[in-house]
Amino acid sequence: MFKKKILITMLVMLFLSLTVSGAFAQDTVKIGTLMPLTGGLASYGQFTRNGTLLAQKIINEQGGLLGGKELELVNVDTQTNPQAGVDGAQKLVSVNGINAIVGALSSGVTIPVAESVTVPAEVVLISPSSTSPVLTTLDDNGYVFRTVPSDSLQGVVAGNLAADLNHDSLAIIYVNNDYGQGLNDAVIEQFEERGGEVTASIAFEPNKVSYRSELMEAAEGNPDALLLIAYTDDGGITIIRQALENGFFEEFIFTDGLKAPEITEGVEQYLEGMRGTAPTSMPGGKGPELFTKLYEEEFGEIPPKPYIDTSFDATFVLALAIEKAGSTEGPAIRDALGEVLAEDGMVVNINEWNKAKDLIAAGEKIRYEGASGPVLFNDVGDSMGAIGIWKIEDGNIVNESIEVQ
Amino acid sequence: MTFAGVFSYLVFFLIFAGIYAVMTLALNMQRGFAGLFNIGIAGFWAVGAYTSAIMTKGPSPDHLGGFGMPFIIGLLAAGIISSLLAFLVGIPTIRLREDYLGIATIGIAEIIRLVIKNEAWLTNGVRGISAIPKPLAGSFGSNYNLFFLMIVVLVIALFYYLSEKGINSPWGRILRAIREDEEVVKAVGKNVVRYRMEAFVLGAFMMGVGGGLYAHFTSFISPEAFKPMQATFLVWIMLIIGGSANNFGSIVGAFLTWGIWTGTEFLTGMLPAAYTTQAAAIRVILIGVFLEIILLNRPEGLFGEKKYSSVSTADR
Amino acid sequence: MLKVKSAVKEFSGFRAVDECSFEVEENTITGLIGPNGAGKTTMFNLIAGSLDLDQGEVYFSEQKVNNFAPHQIARLGLARTFQIPKTLKKMTVMENLMLVPSGQSGENLWNSWFNSAKVSKEEEIVEAKAYETLEFLELTHLADEMAVNLSGGQKKLLELGRALMADPELIMLDEPGAGVNPTLLNKIAENILKLKERGKTILLIEHNMDLIMNICDRVIVMNDGKHLVEGTPAEIKRNPRVLEAYLGEKTA
Amino acid sequence: MLRINDIYSGYGEIEIIHGITLNVEQGEIVSIVGPNGSGKSTLLKSIFSLVDIMGGEINYLGSDLTKAATDQMIKKGLSFVPQTDNIFPTLTVAENLELGAYVSRKNLSDRFDLIYNLFPPLVEKRKKKAGTLSGGQRQMVAFGRALVMEPKLLLLDEPTAGLAPMFIDLILEKVEEINKTGVSILMVEQNAKKALAMSDRGYVLAAGEKKYEDSGRGLLENKEVAQLFLGG
Amino acid sequence: MALQLFLNGVILGSIIALGAIGLSLIYGILKFGHFAHGDLMTLGAYFAFLFKVQLGLPFWLAFVLAAALTAGAAILLNLILYRHLKKRDSVIVMISSVGAALIIRNLVLLFWGPQNKFYEKAIQMPIVLGDGLLRIKENQIIILVLALTLVIAVHLFLSKTKLGKAMRAMSDNIDLAQITGINTERVIIWTWAMSGVLTAAAGILLAFDTHLTPVMGWNLLLPLFAAVILGGIGSPYGAMFGGLVIGISQEMSTLIISAAYKPAVAFTIMILMLIIKPSGLMGKKV
């Protein structure tokens, strides 16, 4: 009896899951989003999803796309896990009938999704945050893009920054994933080219309680500064605090994952004047400021997390491409993505969807001044962003200068 | 939602659930038939996946490789290396009390994950191995997944057949007898440790092959895929829900549980965006509650233990 | 056949078996008796390898078998039963017996999978042998019954059957008569005698003196872990030290 | 004070005791003897509900014990010393004794004094872990723990099992001493002769049934009883 | 350097020890590995966050309230779950504790969200001893003192009180405990309560030294088990000692091996222990 009940419950749930998610399927343009809402990256997924929702709102408020169709976003929780992520992506493609995907966050999910789901199904995928160099060389028939620069780009700038700050020696502590690894390699190469010495390069496991022994190892040989490659939530803040508390380091250089006022809370006086790098907008663009304003109107204070802006941009440029293609077919969207954006195109800001539509209708190319800076793809689908240098002043983060690629 | 769409998702779903079913069958061999408590499935899964990937890929500067072996050899190697690992783990631990073996295996699985993460020369570390060849890729067009499903079903069928045949044979008779009373088996001259070890190694072989299937299907593996929750405990939940010591129940348990695990996604999809994080948490809570209800009400699983026998009574 | 020399086994300071020596002749029935706690079952476990000797030696068929693993000694031709019958509960009576014969090629998984012909041929032989054993024990009607459903006495018989299936040289029976009704007891006694006729050697622990007196060729009495006296049943019955041992009067 | 009336008990589906009636009067030492496997220990365990009771009843000081909770039995003055595993090995001797006072802690020090007087060797071992003691000393600890409960009736399951001969006499002497302080005793004992010699009454069991019942002396002189042990 | 690592290890080790004592007692008495123990630890830390940061209560009061609530949660788990599974295979109970771990972790996620939290935003500068040889924060001294106090309290409780002795007795021999008149059900409840308090303390101290995240306890679970095995299952004193050994060896391992392999140290010690002496350093028979 009990067995029967359980079996029936399970089947009903299975059925519901298949139908409910695909039930409201009329006349909309659907984009799937693959964001982690549970698991290791849960604290990012919620906000990156907000980024996509903001883009959806702007587009729908300004009349939708493809002649008035609404943009519909369908999200699947990847659980920060490839097994669940790949399954979710296939559900988006097959059951929900989405036309393109924004996501996933970590390369560990993005790549298997691309290889086993979206590329074979000819669905365009734009990752807002996967920085792995593997994505560049993926045999993807051009269906995989990203709105975040490959980590090698930022690494060069960070390496230069360290040298420019007259540091002769540098210790690096990086988060042990593909993002951290990539940046670390690039920084070492650049810094050593500039004549500096990297005294230690130490990977750390995220979410551990103590990083004192890593710090101690890094501090050996008295390097001039610590270059920290981490996210705020997986140990970055803990490392900064423990480094300060124990007097291991006084000089820091940060990367984009730490570009957040959160890192200075309670330790303002120690971090005053420290610098960091992060992908940013080209000179003249006002995307980031505008984005912060719009986000805060919609969701309240913008959290100091990366990739919210790139998620917004990914959604926006997908919409641009669909509008340009005049179709929701994967190959058409793919081709349109390459055509619609140009460095010397007409400027479109992030709240100017109507203007964009008009320009596309007029056959103009667009220079999209995105939330994370101008979005341009090179021929392998990587974003050709710019890297900015930021600085902590009075406990706040201010942009200092921009290094164009 | 089109029929074709649902069908293609269904195929996809079945591939994934099928890979889990391979794991569950393997665990059933270890746990259900031999009473071995392995909570390091993730380790064997990872070793299988990486072995097959390294064996079959062409040369790559990022990690060990360049053997370019065919798919089948990759799978076999995955099974063999995974069994070898089981053998080494088993030597010191298989004699111990069952929960000691469990804690040892979970420790080994975590060590394996750390090695994969940090020994980049071997595994490309955290960046993972990409472009793992799919067997006969490009030959079936849009029906490729259907073809892959066939492979998975074939593997399940093979393992099911071998497992059933094994457990109903004199070999299985000894294994079942060990579970009933070890002393008796020793007293009639059977080497209990040897049979335990064989079941452990055989289960690990199946897990390795399952790992290989996973690697070739997703074409990309990285340490992220082999965390204890999704790669070990989920398999246990499947086995317990389906019913330990029952091969058929194990398979059904895998399909149903994977259905619930991914299927309850609709909960998240239905709620307003502001609540999605909460919904995701609630979903996992519900899965937990569901598991507890089953454990409290039906600890032997949906199908319970099956009666296996080496003797057919018909001919007497 | 079996020779025990100065065997010693201690449990946290207490000598359960204390310098005990005895021999069992081939093709005899030897009874091992003694009051509770005399060390009889411990002695059985030492011989069968379930426990390791602290001192002393055990020879089986001229071979020193000190501290062999149980399965190794079993393979040399020693079968045993347990005081409280141990059966494989959720397996049929038939399977309980078919488990026993050693060297079955089907015990190798590879053969079970890929050499079905050979395995099933052997299985037929083993099955026939098991059936024969059941006939000998007059249990054929229970062949397909789960062992858990057997009565206490039937379990005793099944244990005996399991010992027979091994084709042993020496059978060690731990209280074959305990908890068995008189009819069944006679049957067990008969069976033991029949086994002797077939050339087997039997060593049994028993408290039922009738059984001991009726079937044993020799009786060894143990007390306090030591070999107390030894002789024919009649001699033992008359020996005052035995009675004292049983009623607890210690010889000073 | 204790009346066991037509009790049937055993483990799970296996019935071992087939309808035994037995009683113990205030101040008596009563022994249960019989060959191995006759069900002596099972009978004793039935009193403390440590085996499954299938029929009959157990009455103690006028109230039904068959369904009583263990701590209630202890409060009423019943205590039990199992044959094996009867001490807590990782606890010290003093702690073992103290646990005997778990249910009631009145006059604790008097009770301890009594135990240490009865078993002087325990005094210096007080702080030692019980698991490190010799067999005889362990038995003293077990007795001590049971006596701290201030029993009116002490149940002993083969108190001399596995002890060296010199300890056997000692322990049995102690049993008599304990009895003299007013504690009734019901014990299962393998050393039938010694046990019966010191008992007011005795019962002889065989195959889960009561075969003889008489004064200790009477049973000792009974030829049939002697025969039962060597086969009749 | 080695001295500093040693000190860090002692701090981490005393936190692990607190968690491991309860885990070991439960393992000893109920004979199953409680996989939700780490998440109970997380829960305790978040309860304290609720009282201290969200409700603004003083730290000591938050500590006490959180410990009490966590004890309540542990008892609740026992009442609705483990008590009913007592007669089952220990593996079934263990799997159910994995389910409980999932539930607790996601409840924390549900109520407090995935972001890291801090009891205290400002950092503390360390006291420098011996010309920079050794640095220690005031908070770390508090942690050490609190942990030490709790360990002593546990010791006194286990060795002096009736209940504590009953717990140890049950860990030794549950049947004998029962016929000694110990109300085993009640002692089990108290055992849960005590390990709830200890595990909450471990979580709070851990978060006090670093930060709160929903996975903090789950990440520490295996080191907890390692400590329990090292000390011998069921031996609370062994668990204390095991915790210290694991903490110190994890921190000091960075002298020899890459920090990336630091988490493996606990497992390696554990596995070596299983091979060499499965009963643990202070354990009983296996």
Side-chain angles (χ1 to χ4, degrees):
Chain A
M1 206 51 231
F2 188 72
K3 172 155 75 177
K4 217 177 216 172
K5 264 190 233 162
I6 300 262
L7 273 171
I8 289 172
T9 318
M10 284 183 161
L11 289 175
V12 166
M13 282 170 107
L14 199 63
F15 177 75
L16 275 177
S17 69
L18 285 177
T19 51
V20 173
S21 45
F24 326 102
Q26 301 322 311
D27 227 25
T28 54
V29 175
K30 291 207 234 177
I31 293 180
T33 59
L34 273 178
M35 300 296 172
L37 300 173
T38 49
L41 292 181
S43 64
Y44 299 89
Q46 182 188 353
F47 300 108
T48 52
R49 177 161 151 79
N50 281 345
T52 64
L53 290 172
L54 184 61
Q56 178 196 26
K57 181 174 174 257
I58 290 170
I59 290 164
N60 283 342
E61 274 178 1
Q62 300 186 17
L65 64 179
L66 291 184
K69 286 187 189 170
E70 282 221 336
L71 175 65
E72 186 188 335
L73 294 185
V74 187
N75 184 56
V76 160
D77 177 11
T78 65
Q79 304 173 26
T80 329
N81 166 263
Q83 285 96 324
V86 167
D87 178 87
Q90 184 69 34
K91 208 184 291 170
L92 286 175
V93 170
S94 302
V95 181
N96 302 92
I98 51 89
N99 305 110
I101 285 182
V102 176
L105 290 197
S106 61
S107 308
V109 181
T110 307
I111 300 171
V113 162
E115 296 229 26
S116 58
V117 181
T118 57
V119 174
E122 303 190 323
V123 166
V124 172
L125 173 137
I126 304 188
S127 169
S129 66
S130 302
T131 52
S132 167
V134 173
L135 229 53
T136 308
T137 54
L138 212 59
D139 181 17
D140 60 4
N141 288 331
Y143 283 104
V144 178
F145 298 80
R146 55 178 153 187
T147 49
V148 64
S150 166
D151 25 56
S152 50
L153 190 57
Q154 188 185 169
V156 172
V157 177
N160 281 331
L161 175 64
D164 292 343
L165 290 170
N166 292 323
H167 295 313
D168 295 326
S169 56
L170 197 61
I172 305 174
I173 292 185
Y174 63 94
V175 55
N176 199 5
N177 63 19
D178 56 328
Y179 160 81
Q181 183 86 52
L183 263 174
N184 173 61
D185 295 353
V187 170
I188 294 178
E189 194 181 332
Q190 185 65 22
F191 188 65
E192 285 180 345
E193 193 158 293
R194 295 278 302 265
E197 184 202 358
V198 175
T199 58
S201 157
I202 297 158
F204 73 88
E205 286 296 311
N207 283 314
K208 291 288 164 196
V209 286
S210 162
Y211 294 108
R212 295 194 182 100
S213 40
E214 283 87 344
L215 281 161
M216 204 175 286
E217 207 179 323
E220 233 176 326
N222 287 318
D224 292 345
L226 173 69
L227 191 132
L228 181 57
I229 303 167
Y231 302 106
T232 52
D233 262 2
D234 62 5
I237 293 189
T238 309
I239 292 175
I240 295 171
R241 295 166 77 93
Q242 291 185 342
L244 290 169
E245 282 172 344
N246 293 281
F248 291 123
F249 291 98
E250 286 162 2
E251 292 287 327
F252 296 87
I253 296 169
F254 302 116
T255 55
D256 58 334
L258 292 167
K259 186 185 179 186
E262 215 173 317
I263 65 165
T264 67
E265 273 181 46
V267 294
E268 293 86 353
Q269 70 269 40
Y270 305 105
L271 293 184
E272 186 63 26
M274 298 299 138
R275 288 179 172 82
T277 56
T280 189
S281 51
M282 303 272 193
K286 54 181 180 177
E289 295 76 18
L290 197 53
F291 177 69
T292 305
K293 187 171 141 277
L294 290 171
Y295 186 96
E296 294 190 341
E297 279 170 15
E298 181 73 16
F299 301 107
E301 196 181 346
I302 190 164
K305 308 274 180 196
Y307 312 129
I308 307 173
D309 47 3
T310 51
S311 300
F312 177 96
D313 289 343
T315 317
F316 201 94
V317 297
L318 264 180
L320 288 176
I322 291 169
E323 187 70 23
K324 170 80 179 175
S327 142
T328 57
E329 293 304 311
I333 300 175
R334 171 192 62 182
D335 298 341
L337 262 175
E339 290 162 15
V340 68
L341 299 172
E343 195 172 358
D344 53 0
M346 305 287 285
V347 170
V348 166
N349 281 312
I350 64 169
N351 56 352
E352 295 175 335
W353 173 249
N354 267 330
K355 179 177 172 191
K357 276 198 290 188
D358 294 343
L359 288 172
I360 288 169
E364 294 279 355
K365 293 215 167 193
I366 288 174
R367 177 189 166 90
Y368 169 59
E369 286 286 349
S372 61
V375 178
L376 286 167
F377 295 113
N378 63 16
D379 46 7
V380 291
D382 278 1
S383 170
M384 303 192 294
I387 303 296
I389 291 172
W390 48 275
K391 186 180 178 187
I392 297 169
E393 267 181 27
D394 303 325
N396 295 316
I397 285 176
V398 294
N399 290 322
E400 197 179 54
S401 61
I402 290 165
E403 307 271 329
V404 186
Q405 187 185 10
Chain B
M1 188 174 61
T2 61
F3 175 74
V6 171
F7 179 74
S8 80
Y9 174 68
L10 203 65
V11 169
F12 195 88
F13 171 86
L14 291 176
I15 291 174
F16 249 96
I19 291 171
Y20 269 106
V22 172
M23 296 298 173
T24 318
L25 271 177
L27 183 62
N28 191 37
M29 173 53 70
Q30 296 181 338
R31 167 66 195 165
F33 296 139
L36 296 164
F37 187 30
N38 175 5
I39 40 175
I41 302 167
F44 300 103
W45 185 333
V47 166
Y50 273 91
T51 304
S52 195
I54 289 170
M55 291 299 286
T56 52
K57 259 192 81 170
S60 159
D62 297 328
H63 53 84
L64 185 73
F67 304 107
M69 297 285 185
F71 171 70
I72 289 287
I73 304 287
L75 280 192
L76 272 179
I80 289 165
I81 300 290
S82 175
S83 340
L84 208 64
L85 174 74
F87 183 67
L88 292 176
V89 174
I91 290 172
T93 54
I94 206 123
R95 292 155 215 262
L96 298 177
R97 221 171 68 183
E98 60 173 5
D99 44 351
Y100 282 47
L101 174 65
I103 291 169
T105 48
I106 199 174
I108 298 273
E110 282 297 291
I111 291 174
I112 288 171
R113 203 165 66 87
L114 285 171
V115 169
I116 289 175
K117 262 184 127 166
N118 292 299
E119 300 305 320
W121 60 273
L122 179 67
T123 62
N124 200 23
V126 288
R127 285 176 177 165
I129 295 182
S130 62
I132 301 164
K134 294 190 172 200
L136 298 176
S139 314
F140 296 89
S142 60
N143 288 326
Y144 183 78
N145 282 353
L146 206 55
F147 164 71
F148 203 93
L149 178 61
M150 292 304 153
I151 297 179
V152 172
V153 169
L154 209 67
V155 171
I156 294 177
L158 182 71
F159 285 172
Y160 179 82
Y161 172 76
L162 290 178
S163 186
E164 287 281 306
K165 188 155 185 190
I167 205 66
N168 284 323
S169 75
W171 180 82
R173 191 160 62 207
I174 294 173
L175 218 53
R176 285 178 287 127
I178 291 173
R179 247 182 15 133
E180 294 286 329
D181 195 327
E182 217 172 287
E183 284 305 308
V184 172
V185 183
K186 283 183 193 160
V188 299
K190 318 290 180 201
N191 185 346
V192 167
V193 172
R194 183 191 125 192
Y195 288 94
R196 282 236 170 93
M197 182 66 104
E198 284 181 4
F200 189 51
V201 166
L202 178 62
F205 182 90
M206 290 155 78
M207 287 174 186
V209 172
L213 285 175
Y214 172 79
H216 290 285
F217 183 62
T218 56
S219 282
F220 176 82
I221 47 173
S222 71
E224 268 182 61
F226 309 108
K227 290 186 176 167
M229 193 63 239
Q230 285 91 348
T232 296
F233 291 115
L234 191 56
V235 181
W236 268 96
I237 294 174
M238 288 165 172
L239 180 71
I240 297 227
I241 285 187
S244 193
N246 184 331
N247 279 328
F248 178 72
S250 305
I251 294 174
V252 177
F255 281 86
L256 280 178
T257 310
W258 184 244
I260 299 236
W261 191 264
T262 64
T264 40
E265 250 297 322
F266 79 94
L267 254 180
T268 348
M270 269 162 57
L271 286 170
Y275 300 106
T276 42
T277 312
Q278 282 88 333
I282 289 173
R283 181 177 130 246
V284 183
I285 292 171
L286 285 181
I287 290 171
V289 170
F290 183 75
L291 172 69
E292 305 295 4
I293 290 174
I294 293 221
L295 286 176
L296 287 172
N297 289 294
R298 214 180 160 83
E300 72 281 20
L302 291 178
F303 291 85
E305 215 167 286
K306 191 177 155 191
K307 294 210 166 33
Y308 288 94
S309 173
S310 56
V311 217
S312 64
T313 54
D315 55 345
R316 234 193 349 262
Chain C
M1 177 93 251
L2 177 74
K3 203 183 290 177
V4 177
K5 277 191 186 166
S6 313
V8 174
K9 180 67 191 177
E10 290 193 6
F11 295 110
S12 50
F14 163 65
R15 285 201 166 185
V17 170
D18 189 3
E19 297 273 336
C20 186
S21 308
F22 62 85
E23 277 185 44
V24 175
E25 296 291 329
E26 197 163 333
N27 198 20
T28 58
I29 300 178
T30 308
L32 185 60
I33 68 168
N36 231 13
K40 303 178 302 275
T41 299
T42 308
M43 178 54 83
F44 257 39
N45 285 332
L46 290 174
I47 297 169
S50 303
L51 288 172
D52 286 347
L53 282 162
D54 291 333
Q55 288 170 39
E57 284 148 24
V58 176
Y59 293 87
F60 178 57
S61 309
E62 308 300 312
Q63 190 179 350
K64 188 171 169 184
V65 294
N66 278 22
N67 302 347
F68 269 41
H71 69 268
Q72 291 171 315
I73 297 176
R75 283 185 195 163
L76 293 177
L78 185 147
R80 73 170 295 188
T81 67
F82 295 91
Q83 191 170 354
I84 298 157
K86 289 184 182 218
T87 54
L88 308 168
K89 297 194 186 76
K90 289 186 197 161
M91 293 165 75
T92 62
V93 168
M94 209 58 187
E95 280 202 295
N96 263 272
L97 295 179
M98 289 175 67
L99 173 75
V100 178
S102 42
Q104 302 181 42
S105 56
E107 290 177 354
N108 182 313
L109 184 56
W110 193 260
N111 288 334
S112 273
W113 280 342
F114 303 117
N115 206 345
S116 296
K118 187 175 174 201
V119 170
S120 49
K121 208 177 216 168
E122 277 189 28
E123 278 286 277
E124 272 171 36
I125 296 168
V126 172
E127 197 177 339
K129 188 173 169 190
Y131 202 75
E132 212 173 275
T133 307
L134 285 181
E135 276 173 343
F136 176 76
L137 301 168
E138 296 172 33
L139 282 180
T140 45
H141 58 292
L142 294 172
D144 298 320
E145 192 62 60
M146 293 286 160
V148 69
N149 299 330
L150 266 53
S151 74
Q154 288 166 337
K155 281 181 185 158
K156 285 269 177 195
L157 285 175
L158 179 58
E159 280 238 306
L160 191 59
R162 206 163 55 212
L164 290 180
M165 285 293 290
D167 268 334
E169 301 298 316
L170 173 66
I171 306 176
M172 300 204 302
L173 305 170
D174 197 346
E175 300 202 24
V180 169
N181 66 45
T183 330
L184 206 55
L185 190 66
N186 285 337
K187 198 159 122 188
I188 289 175
E190 251 172 60
N191 287 336
I192 294 174
L193 286 169
K194 270 196 240 166
L195 288 176
K196 187 186 161 194
E197 279 162 30
R198 291 187 181 185
K200 308 284 184 205
T201 310
I202 290 138
L203 174 65
L204 73 153
I205 296 176
E206 186 48 63
H207 279 96
N208 186 314
M209 286 301 155
D210 283 343
L211 189 67
I212 293 281
M213 299 302 149
N214 291 341
I215 65 173
C216 288
D217 301 308
R218 285 191 79 71
V219 177
I220 298 166
V221 186
M222 275 182 82
N223 191 28
D224 286 337
K226 295 190 178 73
H227 177 278
L228 186 68
V229 290
E230 185 175 336
T232 64
E235 287 165 6
I236 293 298
K237 209 169 178 178
R238 275 181 262 116
N239 192 324
R241 293 174 70 194
V242 177
L243 188 62
E244 276 171 19
Y246 265 89
L247 292 181
E249 192 79 28
K250 299 292 169 203
T251 43
Chain D
M1 65 196 304
L2 178 75
R3 289 182 202 292
I4 296 176
N5 195 7
D6 198 21
I7 195 89
Y8 292 80
S9 63
Y11 301 90
E13 70 256 47
I14 303 155
E15 188 183 283
I16 293 174
I17 300 294
H18 317 294
I20 290 186
T21 301
L22 170 157
N23 60 325
V24 183
E25 298 303 333
Q26 184 73 44
E28 277 187 327
I29 297 180
V30 175
S31 294
I32 303 171
V33 297
N36 228 13
S38 57
K40 305 182 297 280
S41 290
T42 312
L43 178 60
L44 209 57
K45 286 179 186 162
S46 311
I47 300 170
F48 246 74
S49 298
L50 298 175
V51 293
D52 303 315
I53 309 234
M54 294 140 190
E57 60 160 8
I58 297 164
N59 190 293
Y60 174 71
L61 293 175
S63 55
D64 187 9
L65 264 197
T66 1
K67 291 179 195 89
T70 320
D71 55 334
Q72 287 306 311
M73 297 187 198
I74 291 165
K75 274 190 188 147
K76 285 182 183 158
L78 261 182
S79 85
F80 177 49
V81 181
Q83 180 182 351
T84 53
D85 292 328
N86 51 17
I87 53 154
F88 298 110
T90 71
L91 271 60
T92 64
V93 169
E95 284 171 338
N96 264 280
L97 297 182
E98 235 180 288
L99 279 167
Y102 193 80
V103 174
S104 147
R105 298 179 73 88
K106 279 186 307 201
N107 309 325
L108 204 52
S109 62
D110 291 354
R111 283 145 75 182
F112 285 159
D113 288 346
L114 184 86
I115 309 293
Y116 289 128
N117 282 331
L118 202 55
F119 302 114
L122 293 186
V123 177
E124 59 171 319
K125 303 275 184 187
R126 240 183 347 217
K127 300 256 153 91
K128 285 262 177 345
K129 283 194 176 164
T132 62
L133 302 185
S134 74
Q137 289 167 335
R138 285 178 188 219
Q139 202 65 7
M140 293 180 193
V141 174
F143 268 57
R145 205 198 65 255
L147 286 175
V148 174
M149 298 179 194
E150 294 194 305
K152 297 194 184 94
L153 173 61
L154 188 59
L155 308 176
L156 304 173
D157 191 357
E158 304 211 8
T160 65
L163 292 187
M166 56 172 292
F167 278 115
I168 296 180
D169 289 336
L170 179 79
I171 291 288
L172 290 179
E173 269 167 40
K174 296 295 175 190
V175 171
E176 284 191 288
E177 260 181 68
I178 293 165
N179 177 247
K180 291 205 179 94
T181 65
V183 180
S184 314
I185 304 225
L186 174 62
M187 69 174 173
V188 163
E189 183 50 57
Q190 190 58 41
N191 286 299
K193 208 162 185 176
K194 287 190 174 178
L196 291 175
M198 60 188 273
S199 297
D200 297 302
R201 284 182 312 106
Y203 293 85
V204 181
L205 263 52
E209 284 164 18
K210 183 169 73 182
K211 292 287 188 214
Y212 301 96
E213 172 182 357
D214 200 348
S215 69
R217 193 70 27 217
L219 284 174
L220 267 183
E221 286 160 5
N222 187 334
K223 285 271 186 282
E224 290 174 13
V225 172
Q227 281 297 316
L228 184 69
F229 283 89
L230 295 181
Chain E
M1 169 124 170
L3 195 63
Q4 182 72 50
L5 285 174
F6 182 78
L7 176 72
N8 297 346
V10 170
I11 292 168
L12 179 62
S14 53
I15 291 172
I16 293 176
L18 283 182
I21 295 167
L23 186 61
S24 188
L25 270 178
I26 288 172
Y27 214 148
I29 294 177
L30 298 170
K31 313 288 177 225
F32 79 98
H34 185 229
F35 272 68
H37 216 75
D39 290 283
L40 273 182
M41 190 167 159
T42 313
L43 190 66
Y46 274 89
F47 277 143
F49 178 80
L50 171 76
F51 293 121
K52 180 174 187 300
V53 179
Q54 291 172 285
L55 301 177
L57 299 180
F59 182 68
W60 67 269
L61 187 58
F63 190 103
V64 171
L65 288 174
L69 273 185
T70 314
I75 294 171
L76 197 69
L77 275 182
N78 178 51
L79 286 185
I80 56 180
L81 215 54
Y82 307 134
R83 202 166 60 113
H84 303 285
L85 294 169
K86 214 164 47 179
K87 293 229 168 79
R88 303 288 174 195
D89 190 346
S90 70
V91 171
I92 298 281
V93 196
M94 189 225 84
I95 292 291
S96 91
S97 76
V98 173
L102 262 189
I103 294 172
I104 296 174
R105 197 174 328 142
N106 282 280
L107 282 174
V108 168
L109 197 64
L110 187 63
F111 287 111
W112 286 283
Q115 276 74 37
N116 287 355
K117 306 264 191 260
F118 294 86
Y119 289 146
E120 199 73 66
K121 286 283 184 190
I123 61 163
Q124 269 179 340
M125 281 302 146
I127 301 159
V128 183
L129 301 169
D131 200 23
L133 199 62
L134 203 59
R135 293 156 185 271
I136 184 163
K137 285 195 301 174
E138 205 178 297
N139 278 355
Q140 291 174 317
I141 298 175
I142 296 176
I143 290 170
L144 280 178
V145 170
L146 266 176
L148 195 67
T149 315
L150 276 168
V151 165
I152 292 173
V154 168
H155 165 69
L156 291 176
F157 174 78
L158 288 173
S159 62
K160 301 289 177 206
T161 69
K162 188 173 131 177
L163 197 56
K165 286 173 203 165
M167 281 178 194
R168 282 161 58 214
M170 280 177 65
S171 184
D172 263 11
N173 185 340
I174 203 160
D175 294 328
L176 186 62
Q178 195 150 14
I179 59 166
T180 307
I182 294 172
N183 183 338
T184 48
E185 280 294 318
R186 223 182 98 231
V187 176
I188 286 173
I189 288 180
W190 278 108
T191 308
W192 280 107
M194 190 182 89
S195 51
V197 167
L198 290 175
T199 191
I204 295 168
L205 294 184
L206 182 63
F208 190 59
D209 189 29
T210 58
H211 60 260
L212 298 111
T213 95
V215 291
M216 58 191 279
W218 177 252
N219 281 341
L220 211 61
L221 183 66
L222 286 176
L224 287 187
F225 268 111
V228 169
I229 298 233
L230 198 58
I233 289 173
S235 160
Y237 298 107
M240 293 176 199
F241 178 72
L244 276 180
V245 171
I246 297 288
I248 292 168
S249 48
Q250 245 190 47
E251 290 296 312
M252 298 206 54
S253 69
T254 47
L255 288 173
I256 313 161
I257 56 165
S258 149
Y261 278 113
K262 197 165 75 170
V265 174
F267 313 136
T268 312
I269 294 177
M270 184 173 79
I271 289 162
L272 286 178
M273 194 69 202
L274 286 176
I275 295 169
I276 299 162
K277 189 167 182 288
S279 57
L281 289 176
M282 304 190 180
K284 302 164 291 202
K285 58 185 190 292
V286 183

